[in-house]
Amino acid sequence: KAGVTQTPRYLIKTRGQQVTLSCSPISGHRSVSWYQQTPGQGLQFLFEYFSETQRNKGNFPGRFSGRQFSNSRSEMNVSTLELGDSALYLCASSSSGGGTDTQYFGPGTRLTVL
Amino acid sequence: AQKVTQAQTEISVVEKEDVTLDCVYETRDTTYYLFWYKQPPSGELVFLIRRNSFDEQNEISGRYSWNFQKSTSSFNFTITASQVVDSAVYFCALSEAPPRGSTLGRLYFGRGTQLTVWP
């Protein structure tokens, strides 16, 4: 089975712009979670989607949003980018969501905000 | 509150040495899951192991072994005869079983331990 894929792998944006990141889960997986990784805060949970519904959300401002499509692919969007949004954004998929399944991660999208 | 502590920020060893990475967790749940992930310089988090709170058996997989002790809330990871390819950041993580009928779930990560293995 192919692993989790994320596009693009690298992005450079300027403050105030918006960005959309994409994640394709492992075939058959219905849950997708997003995490932000920064040197200062470590790995932080953004949100989880299951069957096109957001099931759980971390402590991030409303500028961070996401969605999931019927084929389980997910996108996350960050509007009005700030310098502090520079990070590695990791997507993870699991078969049925919730805390019981193993989450498998993609290679990440490295976002740089100038 | 849920919390994972990896007190060792960086560890350096020479090839063939054994090394243990410590992980201490906090949770109020009786049912929970513990994980270890490896993050090489490429950035992808690679799954290594998952344990549930009811299974305290230690596990060995090749040069890797894990020691789960509920009494001390620890889930330590040992690499035997380390190799240069083991150099990476290692993360310990915790998830809790969601309420019945819910699919809430998230991973709580420690800050990671940077392991460097020198030839």
PDB file of all heavy atoms in Angstrom, chain A residues 62-91:
ATOM      1  N   GLY A  62      -8.852  30.539  14.536  1.00  0.00           N
ATOM      2  CA  GLY A  62      -9.759  30.226  13.446  1.00  0.00           C
ATOM      3  C   GLY A  62      -9.140  30.367  12.067  1.00  0.00           C
ATOM      4  O   GLY A  62      -9.732  29.934  11.074  1.00  0.00           O
ATOM      5  N   ARG A  63      -7.957  30.976  11.995  1.00  0.00           N
ATOM      6  CA  ARG A  63      -7.280  31.095  10.699  1.00  0.00           C
ATOM      7  C   ARG A  63      -6.910  29.720  10.140  1.00  0.00           C
ATOM      8  O   ARG A  63      -6.660  29.563   8.952  1.00  0.00           O
ATOM      9  CB  ARG A  63      -5.996  31.922  10.837  1.00  0.00           C
ATOM     10  CG  ARG A  63      -6.188  33.335  11.328  1.00  0.00           C
ATOM     11  CD  ARG A  63      -4.884  34.108  11.317  1.00  0.00           C
ATOM     12  NE  ARG A  63      -3.884  33.556  12.214  1.00  0.00           N
ATOM     13  CZ  ARG A  63      -2.802  32.888  11.817  1.00  0.00           C
ATOM     14  NH1 ARG A  63      -2.578  32.673  10.527  1.00  0.00           N
ATOM     15  NH2 ARG A  63      -1.935  32.428  12.705  1.00  0.00           N
ATOM     16  N   PHE A  64      -6.847  28.750  11.020  1.00  0.00           N
ATOM     17  CA  PHE A  64      -6.530  27.378  10.621  1.00  0.00           C
ATOM     18  C   PHE A  64      -7.845  26.623  10.430  1.00  0.00           C
ATOM     19  O   PHE A  64      -8.659  26.526  11.356  1.00  0.00           O
ATOM     20  CB  PHE A  64      -5.692  26.686  11.687  1.00  0.00           C
ATOM     21  CG  PHE A  64      -4.298  27.244  11.821  1.00  0.00           C
ATOM     22  CD1 PHE A  64      -4.074  28.396  12.556  1.00  0.00           C
ATOM     23  CD2 PHE A  64      -3.228  26.623  11.206  1.00  0.00           C
ATOM     24  CE1 PHE A  64      -2.791  28.932  12.672  1.00  0.00           C
ATOM     25  CE2 PHE A  64      -1.939  27.136  11.327  1.00  0.00           C
ATOM     26  CZ  PHE A  64      -1.726  28.290  12.060  1.00  0.00           C
ATOM     27  N   SER A  65      -8.022  26.102   9.259  1.00  0.00           N
ATOM     28  CA  SER A  65      -9.245  25.349   8.986  1.00  0.00           C
ATOM     29  C   SER A  65      -8.911  24.159   8.099  1.00  0.00           C
ATOM     30  O   SER A  65      -7.811  24.079   7.537  1.00  0.00           O
ATOM     31  CB  SER A  65     -10.291  26.230   8.308  1.00  0.00           C
ATOM     32  OG  SER A  65      -9.817  26.671   7.045  1.00  0.00           O
ATOM     33  N   GLY A  66      -9.844  23.272   7.986  1.00  0.00           N
ATOM     34  CA  GLY A  66      -9.600  22.112   7.148  1.00  0.00           C
ATOM     35  C   GLY A  66     -10.904  21.541   6.635  1.00  0.00           C
ATOM     36  O   GLY A  66     -11.995  22.012   6.978  1.00  0.00           O
ATOM     37  N   ARG A  67     -10.751  20.536   5.823  1.00  0.00           N
ATOM     38  CA  ARG A  67     -11.921  19.796   5.369  1.00  0.00           C
ATOM     39  C   ARG A  67     -11.476  18.438   4.872  1.00  0.00           C
ATOM     40  O   ARG A  67     -10.291  18.204   4.597  1.00  0.00           O
ATOM     41  CB  ARG A  67     -12.662  20.545   4.263  1.00  0.00           C
ATOM     42  CG  ARG A  67     -11.843  20.866   3.031  1.00  0.00           C
ATOM     43  CD  ARG A  67     -12.701  21.573   2.006  1.00  0.00           C
ATOM     44  NE  ARG A  67     -11.936  21.975   0.827  1.00  0.00           N
ATOM     45  CZ  ARG A  67     -12.489  22.409  -0.294  1.00  0.00           C
ATOM     46  NH1 ARG A  67     -13.803  22.478  -0.405  1.00  0.00           N
ATOM     47  NH2 ARG A  67     -11.739  22.775  -1.324  1.00  0.00           N
ATOM     48  N   GLN A  68     -12.458  17.553   4.759  1.00  0.00           N
ATOM     49  CA  GLN A  68     -12.172  16.219   4.244  1.00  0.00           C
ATOM     50  C   GLN A  68     -13.194  15.897   3.169  1.00  0.00           C
ATOM     51  O   GLN A  68     -14.391  16.195   3.310  1.00  0.00           O
ATOM     52  CB  GLN A  68     -12.223  15.170   5.368  1.00  0.00           C
ATOM     53  CG  GLN A  68     -11.787  13.788   4.911  1.00  0.00           C
ATOM     54  CD  GLN A  68     -11.835  12.765   6.031  1.00  0.00           C
ATOM     55  OE1 GLN A  68     -12.698  12.825   6.906  1.00  0.00           O
ATOM     56  NE2 GLN A  68     -10.905  11.816   6.005  1.00  0.00           N
ATOM     57  N   PHE A  69     -12.748  15.268   2.130  1.00  0.00           N
ATOM     58  CA  PHE A  69     -13.611  14.938   1.005  1.00  0.00           C
ATOM     59  C   PHE A  69     -14.119  13.502   1.119  1.00  0.00           C
ATOM     60  O   PHE A  69     -13.652  12.728   1.972  1.00  0.00           O
ATOM     61  CB  PHE A  69     -12.847  15.145  -0.307  1.00  0.00           C
ATOM     62  CG  PHE A  69     -12.323  16.549  -0.466  1.00  0.00           C
ATOM     63  CD1 PHE A  69     -11.025  16.868  -0.096  1.00  0.00           C
ATOM     64  CD2 PHE A  69     -13.138  17.561  -0.967  1.00  0.00           C
ATOM     65  CE1 PHE A  69     -10.533  18.165  -0.219  1.00  0.00           C
ATOM     66  CE2 PHE A  69     -12.660  18.851  -1.084  1.00  0.00           C
ATOM     67  CZ  PHE A  69     -11.361  19.149  -0.715  1.00  0.00           C
ATOM     68  N   SER A  70     -15.044  13.158   0.244  1.00  0.00           N
ATOM     69  CA  SER A  70     -15.673  11.836   0.323  1.00  0.00           C
ATOM     70  C   SER A  70     -14.669  10.707   0.072  1.00  0.00           C
ATOM     71  O   SER A  70     -14.882   9.577   0.497  1.00  0.00           O
ATOM     72  CB  SER A  70     -16.835  11.743  -0.670  1.00  0.00           C
ATOM     73  OG  SER A  70     -16.387  11.988  -1.986  1.00  0.00           O
ATOM     74  N   ASN A  71     -13.565  11.001  -0.586  1.00  0.00           N
ATOM     75  CA  ASN A  71     -12.544   9.962  -0.814  1.00  0.00           C
ATOM     76  C   ASN A  71     -11.499   9.957   0.307  1.00  0.00           C
ATOM     77  O   ASN A  71     -10.451   9.331   0.178  1.00  0.00           O
ATOM     78  CB  ASN A  71     -11.857  10.169  -2.162  1.00  0.00           C
ATOM     79  CG  ASN A  71     -11.131  11.506  -2.255  1.00  0.00           C
ATOM     80  OD1 ASN A  71     -11.163  12.301  -1.310  1.00  0.00           O
ATOM     81  ND2 ASN A  71     -10.497  11.758  -3.384  1.00  0.00           N
ATOM     82  N   SER A  72     -11.778  10.657   1.385  1.00  0.00           N
ATOM     83  CA  SER A  72     -10.945  10.763   2.596  1.00  0.00           C
ATOM     84  C   SER A  72      -9.753  11.693   2.458  1.00  0.00           C
ATOM     85  O   SER A  72      -9.080  11.957   3.454  1.00  0.00           O
ATOM     86  CB  SER A  72     -10.460   9.386   3.090  1.00  0.00           C
ATOM     87  OG  SER A  72     -11.554   8.616   3.510  1.00  0.00           O
ATOM     88  N   ARG A  73      -9.496  12.196   1.273  1.00  0.00           N
ATOM     89  CA  ARG A  73      -8.433  13.197   1.119  1.00  0.00           C
ATOM     90  C   ARG A  73      -8.792  14.437   1.930  1.00  0.00           C
ATOM     91  O   ARG A  73      -9.971  14.757   2.119  1.00  0.00           O
ATOM     92  CB  ARG A  73      -8.258  13.558  -0.351  1.00  0.00           C
ATOM     93  CG  ARG A  73      -7.026  14.404  -0.652  1.00  0.00           C
ATOM     94  CD  ARG A  73      -6.891  14.655  -2.155  1.00  0.00           C
ATOM     95  NE  ARG A  73      -7.930  15.558  -2.649  1.00  0.00           N
ATOM     96  CZ  ARG A  73      -7.862  16.886  -2.609  1.00  0.00           C
ATOM     97  NH1 ARG A  73      -6.810  17.484  -2.067  1.00  0.00           N
ATOM     98  NH2 ARG A  73      -8.841  17.619  -3.093  1.00  0.00           N
ATOM     99  N   SER A  74      -7.768  15.085   2.430  1.00  0.00           N
ATOM    100  CA  SER A  74      -8.029  16.237   3.302  1.00  0.00           C
ATOM    101  C   SER A  74      -7.179  17.422   2.865  1.00  0.00           C
ATOM    102  O   SER A  74      -6.088  17.263   2.287  1.00  0.00           O
ATOM    103  CB  SER A  74      -7.717  15.868   4.756  1.00  0.00           C
ATOM    104  OG  SER A  74      -7.873  16.976   5.622  1.00  0.00           O
ATOM    105  N   GLU A  75      -7.692  18.575   3.130  1.00  0.00           N
ATOM    106  CA  GLU A  75      -6.946  19.812   2.925  1.00  0.00           C
ATOM    107  C   GLU A  75      -6.994  20.629   4.199  1.00  0.00           C
ATOM    108  O   GLU A  75      -7.991  20.593   4.933  1.00  0.00           O
ATOM    109  CB  GLU A  75      -7.561  20.639   1.787  1.00  0.00           C
ATOM    110  CG  GLU A  75      -7.374  20.060   0.408  1.00  0.00           C
ATOM    111  CD  GLU A  75      -7.971  20.946  -0.671  1.00  0.00           C
ATOM    112  OE1 GLU A  75      -8.735  21.881  -0.343  1.00  0.00           O
ATOM    113  OE2 GLU A  75      -7.669  20.692  -1.855  1.00  0.00           O
ATOM    114  N   MET A  76      -5.921  21.358   4.449  1.00  0.00           N
ATOM    115  CA  MET A  76      -5.975  22.348   5.516  1.00  0.00           C
ATOM    116  C   MET A  76      -5.600  23.700   4.922  1.00  0.00           C
ATOM    117  O   MET A  76      -4.799  23.784   3.980  1.00  0.00           O
ATOM    118  CB  MET A  76      -5.088  21.995   6.702  1.00  0.00           C
ATOM    119  CG  MET A  76      -3.607  22.048   6.481  1.00  0.00           C
ATOM    120  SD  MET A  76      -2.693  22.118   8.052  1.00  0.00           S
ATOM    121  CE  MET A  76      -2.878  23.853   8.482  1.00  0.00           C
ATOM    122  N   ASN A  77      -6.208  24.717   5.442  1.00  0.00           N
ATOM    123  CA  ASN A  77      -6.023  26.058   4.950  1.00  0.00           C
ATOM    124  C   ASN A  77      -5.598  26.967   6.099  1.00  0.00           C
ATOM    125  O   ASN A  77      -6.108  26.851   7.218  1.00  0.00           O
ATOM    126  CB  ASN A  77      -7.335  26.572   4.348  1.00  0.00           C
ATOM    127  CG  ASN A  77      -7.184  27.942   3.718  1.00  0.00           C
ATOM    128  OD1 ASN A  77      -6.640  28.085   2.637  1.00  0.00           O
ATOM    129  ND2 ASN A  77      -7.658  28.958   4.403  1.00  0.00           N
ATOM    130  N   VAL A  78      -4.652  27.819   5.810  1.00  0.00           N
ATOM    131  CA  VAL A  78      -4.265  28.840   6.781  1.00  0.00           C
ATOM    132  C   VAL A  78      -4.424  30.195   6.096  1.00  0.00           C
ATOM    133  O   VAL A  78      -3.819  30.438   5.046  1.00  0.00           O
ATOM    134  CB  VAL A  78      -2.818  28.679   7.270  1.00  0.00           C
ATOM    135  CG1 VAL A  78      -2.538  29.649   8.411  1.00  0.00           C
ATOM    136  CG2 VAL A  78      -2.551  27.247   7.717  1.00  0.00           C
ATOM    137  N   SER A  79      -5.246  31.028   6.669  1.00  0.00           N
ATOM    138  CA  SER A  79      -5.468  32.349   6.078  1.00  0.00           C
ATOM    139  C   SER A  79      -4.657  33.396   6.839  1.00  0.00           C
ATOM    140  O   SER A  79      -4.223  33.169   7.970  1.00  0.00           O
ATOM    141  CB  SER A  79      -6.959  32.699   6.131  1.00  0.00           C
ATOM    142  OG  SER A  79      -7.397  32.762   7.476  1.00  0.00           O
ATOM    143  N   THR A  80      -4.437  34.514   6.196  1.00  0.00           N
ATOM    144  CA  THR A  80      -3.730  35.645   6.809  1.00  0.00           C
ATOM    145  C   THR A  80      -2.470  35.156   7.534  1.00  0.00           C
ATOM    146  O   THR A  80      -2.331  35.259   8.754  1.00  0.00           O
ATOM    147  CB  THR A  80      -4.645  36.406   7.793  1.00  0.00           C
ATOM    148  OG1 THR A  80      -5.950  36.541   7.238  1.00  0.00           O
ATOM    149  CG2 THR A  80      -4.086  37.812   8.034  1.00  0.00           C
ATOM    150  N   LEU A  81      -1.572  34.613   6.763  1.00  0.00           N
ATOM    151  CA  LEU A  81      -0.376  33.999   7.334  1.00  0.00           C
ATOM    152  C   LEU A  81       0.431  34.963   8.186  1.00  0.00           C
ATOM    153  O   LEU A  81       0.560  36.160   7.875  1.00  0.00           O
ATOM    154  CB  LEU A  81       0.508  33.454   6.210  1.00  0.00           C
ATOM    155  CG  LEU A  81       0.041  32.150   5.571  1.00  0.00           C
ATOM    156  CD1 LEU A  81       0.788  31.902   4.272  1.00  0.00           C
ATOM    157  CD2 LEU A  81       0.221  30.989   6.535  1.00  0.00           C
ATOM    158  N   GLU A  82       0.975  34.407   9.267  1.00  0.00           N
ATOM    159  CA  GLU A  82       1.862  35.145  10.161  1.00  0.00           C
ATOM    160  C   GLU A  82       3.222  34.454  10.170  1.00  0.00           C
ATOM    161  O   GLU A  82       3.328  33.269   9.832  1.00  0.00           O
ATOM    162  CB  GLU A  82       1.278  35.175  11.579  1.00  0.00           C
ATOM    163  CG  GLU A  82      -0.086  35.834  11.662  1.00  0.00           C
ATOM    164  CD  GLU A  82      -0.673  35.784  13.063  1.00  0.00           C
ATOM    165  OE1 GLU A  82      -0.023  35.215  13.965  1.00  0.00           O
ATOM    166  OE2 GLU A  82      -1.787  36.312  13.254  1.00  0.00           O
ATOM    167  N   LEU A  83       4.242  35.209  10.579  1.00  0.00           N
ATOM    168  CA  LEU A  83       5.586  34.629  10.611  1.00  0.00           C
ATOM    169  C   LEU A  83       5.627  33.366  11.457  1.00  0.00           C
ATOM    170  O   LEU A  83       6.313  32.396  11.136  1.00  0.00           O
ATOM    171  CB  LEU A  83       6.589  35.654  11.150  1.00  0.00           C
ATOM    172  CG  LEU A  83       6.823  36.906  10.304  1.00  0.00           C
ATOM    173  CD1 LEU A  83       7.813  37.824  10.984  1.00  0.00           C
ATOM    174  CD2 LEU A  83       7.296  36.533   8.902  1.00  0.00           C
ATOM    175  N   GLY A  84       4.867  33.366  12.537  1.00  0.00           N
ATOM    176  CA  GLY A  84       4.848  32.227  13.453  1.00  0.00           C
ATOM    177  C   GLY A  84       4.203  30.977  12.884  1.00  0.00           C
ATOM    178  O   GLY A  84       4.259  29.917  13.513  1.00  0.00           O
ATOM    179  N   ASP A  85       3.609  31.093  11.715  1.00  0.00           N
ATOM    180  CA  ASP A  85       3.003  29.914  11.081  1.00  0.00           C
ATOM    181  C   ASP A  85       4.039  29.074  10.344  1.00  0.00           C
ATOM    182  O   ASP A  85       3.722  27.983   9.855  1.00  0.00           O
ATOM    183  CB  ASP A  85       1.902  30.339  10.105  1.00  0.00           C
ATOM    184  CG  ASP A  85       0.754  31.054  10.793  1.00  0.00           C
ATOM    185  OD1 ASP A  85       0.527  30.799  12.003  1.00  0.00           O
ATOM    186  OD2 ASP A  85       0.078  31.876  10.124  1.00  0.00           O
ATOM    187  N   SER A  86       5.248  29.584  10.253  1.00  0.00           N
ATOM    188  CA  SER A  86       6.321  28.810   9.631  1.00  0.00           C
ATOM    189  C   SER A  86       6.528  27.538  10.432  1.00  0.00           C
ATOM    190  O   SER A  86       6.782  27.586  11.649  1.00  0.00           O
ATOM    191  CB  SER A  86       7.629  29.607   9.594  1.00  0.00           C
ATOM    192  OG  SER A  86       7.511  30.727   8.759  1.00  0.00           O
ATOM    193  N   ALA A  87       6.410  26.403   9.777  1.00  0.00           N
ATOM    194  CA  ALA A  87       6.443  25.126  10.490  1.00  0.00           C
ATOM    195  C   ALA A  87       6.442  23.987   9.498  1.00  0.00           C
ATOM    196  O   ALA A  87       6.246  24.179   8.298  1.00  0.00           O
ATOM    197  CB  ALA A  87       5.222  24.995  11.412  1.00  0.00           C
ATOM    198  N   LEU A  88       6.622  22.781  10.051  1.00  0.00           N
ATOM    199  CA  LEU A  88       6.401  21.559   9.288  1.00  0.00           C
ATOM    200  C   LEU A  88       4.990  21.094   9.624  1.00  0.00           C
ATOM    201  O   LEU A  88       4.663  20.896  10.793  1.00  0.00           O
ATOM    202  CB  LEU A  88       7.426  20.498   9.678  1.00  0.00           C
ATOM    203  CG  LEU A  88       7.301  19.143   8.978  1.00  0.00           C
ATOM    204  CD1 LEU A  88       7.591  19.270   7.485  1.00  0.00           C
ATOM    205  CD2 LEU A  88       8.252  18.127   9.611  1.00  0.00           C
ATOM    206  N   TYR A  89       4.165  20.943   8.617  1.00  0.00           N
ATOM    207  CA  TYR A  89       2.789  20.489   8.824  1.00  0.00           C
ATOM    208  C   TYR A  89       2.704  19.019   8.414  1.00  0.00           C
ATOM    209  O   TYR A  89       2.958  18.669   7.263  1.00  0.00           O
ATOM    210  CB  TYR A  89       1.817  21.355   8.037  1.00  0.00           C
ATOM    211  CG  TYR A  89       1.721  22.741   8.626  1.00  0.00           C
ATOM    212  CD1 TYR A  89       2.596  23.745   8.233  1.00  0.00           C
ATOM    213  CD2 TYR A  89       0.793  23.014   9.628  1.00  0.00           C
ATOM    214  CE1 TYR A  89       2.534  25.006   8.815  1.00  0.00           C
ATOM    215  CE2 TYR A  89       0.729  24.270  10.207  1.00  0.00           C
ATOM    216  CZ  TYR A  89       1.610  25.265   9.797  1.00  0.00           C
ATOM    217  OH  TYR A  89       1.552  26.507  10.380  1.00  0.00           O
ATOM    218  N   LEU A  90       2.340  18.210   9.386  1.00  0.00           N
ATOM    219  CA  LEU A  90       2.290  16.767   9.175  1.00  0.00           C
ATOM    220  C   LEU A  90       0.851  16.280   9.169  1.00  0.00           C
ATOM    221  O   LEU A  90       0.039  16.682  10.007  1.00  0.00           O
ATOM    222  CB  LEU A  90       3.068  16.052  10.281  1.00  0.00           C
ATOM    223  CG  LEU A  90       4.592  16.251  10.256  1.00  0.00           C
ATOM    224  CD1 LEU A  90       5.187  15.926  11.593  1.00  0.00           C
ATOM    225  CD2 LEU A  90       5.213  15.402   9.176  1.00  0.00           C
ATOM    226  N   CYS A  91       0.588  15.417   8.246  1.00  0.00           N
ATOM    227  CA  CYS A  91      -0.724  14.790   8.145  1.00  0.00           C
ATOM    228  C   CYS A  91      -0.559  13.324   8.530  1.00  0.00           C
ATOM    229  O   CYS A  91       0.461  12.699   8.220  1.00  0.00           O
ATOM    230  CB  CYS A  91      -1.215  14.939   6.714  1.00  0.00           C
ATOM    231  SG  CYS A  91      -2.563  13.873   6.235  1.00  0.00           S
TER     232      CYS A  91
END
